[in-house]
Each structure stands twice: as C-alpha cells, then as structure tokens.
C-alpha cells in the first residue's frame, strides 16, 4: 500500500522554483531596461559613423540651406550644389570681396572648395571650435554667405 506521507522537502523545493524563475525574469527585464536607457544616451549613430551634415547650395535665396549651422568639433559638413551654376565655399580672406563675409576662430586653417559644378559637392571636417563665416566666390555680392558655429 502506498504511503500517504508527503515529503515536505520536495514540496518546499517545488514551491521555490517558480519564485526563482520570477526573480530571474525580473532581473533580465531590469538589465534590458538599463541597456536600453544607456543606448538612448549614446550619440546619433549616423553622426557617430561620420555621416556629414548636408548644406544645400542653390541659385536663389536662401543660397545656403541652412544658412546657420551649429555642430560639434569633429563633425563634417558636406555642401551639395543643387543649383544650375557653379558655387563655392570659402573662408579665404584673400578671395573675399567683403572682409566681413569671412571669419574663423584663432588656430583654424582657411578652406576653399574651388568651383563646385552643378550636382557636385565639397566636404570639410571642423577640428577647431568657434564661429566660421564663409561665402560663395561667384555669388558673394548677392549675399551668398553662411555661418557655422563649432562647439566643443
């Protein structure tokens, strides 16, 4: 005849097993939430991977879109000529018709794209923080001037 005695050690172990699974599940969810929160604080992957910020050039106002840009040191700007004429991007004071149309922070090196044909582009990576005023050589008198503020 079978014994009707219940081994309490087996019953206790059986009742602890579901609780330990719940604890494990709670820990996994908490870790996943912490990882998701940490990933949300990381910089934009596109920018971190070196994807440039695009400024479009046009034949009519606004010539540079956007005209004013704020970026961080190490960011790259890509100017894309969407117009039907040549354009340029320059901080070279020697080429400026109006000295007020160009400026750079101390320690920065002037850049000049040369003439960019329709559909062409030019890229520059900013390594010195400060304010840069730049212009289009053929269209400077028409007001084709832009500003980039580079922050640390």
């Amino acid at each position: 005849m079978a014994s009707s005695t219940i081994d309490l050690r087996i019953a206790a172990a059986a009742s602890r097993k579901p609780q330990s699974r719940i604890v494990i599940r709670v820990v996994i969810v908490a870790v996943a939430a912490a990882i998701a929160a940490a990933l949300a604080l990381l910089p934009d992957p596109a920018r971190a991977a070196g994807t440039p910020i695009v400024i479009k050039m046009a034949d009519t106002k606004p010539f540079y879109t956007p005209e004013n840009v704020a970026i961080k040191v190490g960011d790259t700007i890509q100017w894309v000529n969407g117009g039907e004429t040549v354009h340029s991007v320059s901080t070279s004071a020697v080429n400026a018709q109006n000295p007020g149309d160009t400026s750079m922070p101390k320690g920065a090196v002037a850049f000049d794209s040369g003439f960019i044909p329709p559909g062409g582009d030019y890229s520059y990576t900013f390594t010195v923080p400060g304010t840069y005023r730049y212009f289009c050589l053929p269209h400077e008198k028409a007001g084709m001037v832009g500003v980039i503020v580079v922050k640390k």
Side-chain angles (χ1 to χ4, degrees), residues 51-74:
T51 301
I53 294 101
V54 175
I55 296 177
K56 296 179 183 175
M57 296 182 284
D59 299 337
T60 57
K61 287 189 176 185
F63 293 112
Y64 292 116
T65 304
E67 292 177 313
N68 299 307
V69 178
I71 62 172
K72 292 181 181 177
V73 168

Side-chain angles (χ1 to χ4, degrees), residues 11-116:
S15 68
R16 274 185 276 153
K17 195 169 188 179
Q19 288 177 347
S20 65
R21 285 186 180 165
I22 291 172
V23 170
I24 290 172
R25 288 180 183 166
V26 168
V27 169
I28 290 172
V29 169
V31 168
I35 290 171
L39 290 174
L41 296 174
L42 291 176
D44 179 5
R47 290 183 78 181
T51 301
I53 294 101
V54 175
I55 296 177
K56 296 179 183 175
M57 296 182 284
D59 299 337
T60 57
K61 287 189 176 185
F63 293 112
Y64 292 116
T65 304
E67 292 177 313
N68 299 307
V69 178
I71 62 172
K72 292 181 181 177
V73 168
D75 283 347
T76 299
I77 300 282
Q78 178 185 31
W79 289 268
V80 177
N81 185 353
E84 295 180 12
T85 63
V86 296
H87 289 291
S88 72
V89 177
S90 181
T91 58
S92 175
V94 174
N95 294 335
Q97 297 168 15
N98 176 1
D101 288 341
T102 182
S103 66
M104 295 180 302
K106 205 172 214 176
V109 177
F111 58 86
D112 188 293
S113 65
F115 294 122
I116 303 168

